[in-house]
Amino acid sequence: MSRTVPAPGGDTQTAAPRPTGLSHRQIMTILSGLMLGMFLASLDQTIVSTSIRTIADDLNGLSQQAWATTAYLITSTIATPLYGKLSDLHGRKPYYLASITIFIVGSALCTFATSMSELAAFRALQGIGAGGLMSLALAIIGDLVAPRERARYQGYMLAAFGASSVAGPLVGGFLAGQSSILGVTGWRWVFLVNVPVGVIALFVVARFLNIPHTRRDRRIDWWGALTIALGVVPLLLVAEQGRAWGWGSTSSLVCYGTGAVGVVAWILVERGMGDDALIPMRLFRNSTFSKTSLLSVLIGAGMFGGMLMIPQYLQIVKGASPTRAGLEMVPVMLGVIIASIVSGRITARTGRYKIFPTLGTVAMGVAMLLFHYRVEWDTPLPQTMVFMLLFGLGLGACMQTLVVAVQDAVPPRDMGVATASATFFRQMGGTVGTAVFLSVLFSGVGDKVSAALRSASRTPRFQSALQDPSVLGDPANKPVLDMLKNPGSGTGGADVLNDSSFLQRLDPRLAEPFKQGFADSMQVVFLLTAGVVALAFLTVLWTKEVPLRKVSGLEARAAEESGTTANT
């Protein structure tokens, strides 16, 4: 991490190894605070998804439960590019401290919510804070560490991201299942637990993160922020609510139209703002930045395709509780951690990174194809876990490498914008992917279950269940028995997704066709996800690898401002 500058007489002299004055130990201390913030942002999404039904029941707002998730998603997505731009202008530390503080306050307020409307409002505040937790953490590491070494440090941060995907369902399921803890209703601890962790992260960052920054007084692109909100919010709304509204309903059509107008207005505003734009349009003329942005969208969609469907398979088809499903997702987490750390260390030694998203997209695509062709309703769990591990390895090889590539491709002064953009595009890809995948799942599962029932009804095993007095006398089996007597009415495939808990109470012989129908419908989603990942693979091949800089963002920025040349 040295920097070479011209010396008198035309020779060169080498600057101190770390002009920021930070040792490896100090960087690791700062990293611990950043990891806590990142862990909070990613944990909050999974921990709430596990417990939201319990929360909605307690607040008498089951039909409004989606808004608690939607509000958080909207504000966090909109806030992400704002944090990136403002931190480039005024420094990372004040905005990172602000994001943690807002997140803590929002979490505390969620604890006191008395209705789903209040909870949605407090979750929106939480999302404003969350928008800076992940993107600014990655940008700060970009300031402190050269790209070749950065991959190694970011591997630790993405390990925290992977751990949260498993810890969330475990913690959420446990807390939601408790009637009270220390006199506080169990589900309220889902939000309250963020407060002490956030306070620790706040203290570590405030105490140890001291990096120089030259303030740049430029126009703040408020019109850009307004138009990007006008474009993104309706699209996020229809992605989250379109299935309930109907994709061709008036509400959905209004969202499509408003979003399209907002996106066009945003592009026009950004072109007019030039370098002061929220996301300067000149960055898209950079081939690496534009292709990596497209990759972030595709990887985000592919990631959510797997991370959404695999837990559904474990819970509905295999009958696992949310807590147990979280434990069974450990292979994905291990894959993410192993690939992140290994790829980071190899990149630090060689300076080459393109091989990792190339192999990563291949691994993700193969894993999804294996889920499509080899995973049935009765597939042994150990075999499924091998496919999960492969998916996690692919995901871990892609995520951090894309961030390092986009940070290295832009001028040092745009580090925050570039990092936030990568996060923003990944979130957008994940949101759109989730909407598409769920729509495919919902539209096909009814027919798949009906076909499986027709096929199973002719088997001796199923017929023996229909003649078993214990089955006929069990009220839990009555909806299925009524449906068989009156085809076209009663419990259908959609009911499996509305409330799948009845499958666990059914006689196993009657439950089999429902599980088979659901697994068959999921196989279509896995194939679609593999197609998205294949597009990501082609995009990686199309992207030119740029040698990674050997200096940190701060060193490169200092050299840029002083007119000297950093050693690359």
Side-chain angles (χ1 to χ4, degrees), residues 473-480 502 505-507:
D474 189 345
N477 299 318
K478 189 175 185 300
V480 177
F502 81 95
R505 299 189 295 270
L506 281 179
D507 181 274

Side-chain angles (χ1 to χ4, degrees), residues 202-221:
L202 190 67
F203 170 78
V204 172
V205 174
R207 173 68 177 82
F208 295 103
L209 181 61
N210 295 298
I211 54 179
H213 177 79
T214 302
R215 181 185 177 93
R216 291 189 288 160
D217 292 321
R218 307 291 292 269
R219 292 181 297 169
I220 297 178
D221 185 15

Side-chain angles (χ1 to χ4, degrees), residues 42-234:
S42 54
L43 175 71
D44 197 73
Q45 299 179 52
T46 54
I47 194 174
V48 172
S49 64
T50 307
S51 53
I52 188 63
R53 184 172 290 270
T54 302
I55 296 171
D57 287 339
D58 193 56
L59 295 178
N60 298 315
L62 190 62
S63 62
Q64 299 174 301
Q65 62 174 306
W67 289 105
T69 302
T70 304
Y72 179 93
L73 175 69
I74 288 173
T75 55
S76 62
T77 302
I78 295 300
T80 295
L82 276 171
Y83 278 114
K85 183 64 177 183
L86 292 173
S87 70
D88 278 342
L89 296 177
H90 308 138
R92 315 272 186 241
K93 183 174 180 177
Y95 288 102
Y96 196 70
L97 293 177
S99 69
I100 297 177
T101 302
I102 294 170
F103 188 85
I104 293 173
V105 172
S107 298
L109 290 173
C110 287
T111 306
F112 297 101
T114 58
S115 68
M116 286 303 293
S117 298
E118 284 186 9
L119 182 63
F122 297 149
R123 287 277 288 162
L125 179 62
Q126 224 186 354
I128 294 174
L133 291 180
M134 186 171 294
S135 60
L136 289 184
L138 293 172
I140 289 169
I141 288 297
D143 285 336
L144 299 178
V145 185
R148 286 184 61 159
E149 293 186 40
R150 193 179 305 155
R152 177 160 55 100
Y153 287 101
Q154 289 182 349
Y156 297 126
M157 301 177 76
L158 290 175
F161 175 84
S164 70
S165 67
V166 175
L170 291 175
V171 177
F174 170 78
L175 294 176
Q178 307 300 310
S179 58
S180 67
I181 302 174
L182 299 178
V184 178
T185 305
W187 68 259
R188 296 184 185 275
W189 284 93
V190 166
F191 304 103
L192 193 58
V193 74
N194 293 332
V195 176
V197 179
V199 169
I200 294 172
L202 190 67
F203 170 78
V204 172
V205 174
R207 173 68 177 82
F208 295 103
L209 181 61
N210 295 298
I211 54 179
H213 177 79
T214 302
R215 181 185 177 93
R216 291 189 288 160
D217 292 321
R218 307 291 292 269
R219 292 181 297 169
I220 297 178
D221 185 15
W222 295 118
W223 282 109
L226 178 64
T227 52
I228 198 174
L230 182 64
V232 170
V233 169

